[in-house]
Amino acid sequence: NPLLTSKVNVIINVLDVNEFPPEISVPYETSVCENAKPGQVIQTVTAADKDLSPAGQRFSFRLSPEASNKPNFTVHD
């Protein structure tokens, strides 16, 4: 009864998995004064993704479909 074993090298490639979704960098609570001028910047928002190096991060922002048809606010990316 010979021993029935063998050995082989196995290479495993791990694909990048998004362990961390992008997040808003800091919590924002924004309010608008009633005398704000049209076109005035009210808030600047930044985001970060822990899966990417800071140099390679690019995000885009837009209003939700429900808010995009209301002319009171705009988002400039």
Side-chain angles (χ1 to χ4, degrees):
N1 287 346
L3 209 63
L4 300 175
T5 64
S6 67
K7 293 182 181 183
V8 66
N9 289 331
V10 176
I11 298 173
I12 299 173
N13 293 319
V14 178
L15 301 176
D16 184 21
V17 176
N18 194 7
E19 295 93 1
F20 302 101
E23 298 177 336
I24 299 297
S25 296
V26 296
Y28 294 99
E29 192 170 310
T30 305
S31 58
V32 180
C33 294
E34 63 183 57
N35 60 352
K37 306 273 188 274
Q40 179 178 341
V41 174
I42 297 169
Q43 181 71 58
T44 301
V45 178
T46 59
D49 188 340
K50 294 177 186 176
D51 290 324
L52 301 172
S53 69
Q57 296 189 19
R58 292 184 157 233
F59 300 97
S60 62
F61 299 91
R62 65 177 183 254
L63 290 173
S64 67
E66 300 82 32
S68 63
N69 61 4
K70 298 179 182 175
N72 296 334
F73 294 97
T74 58
V75 172
H76 297 283
D77 196 14

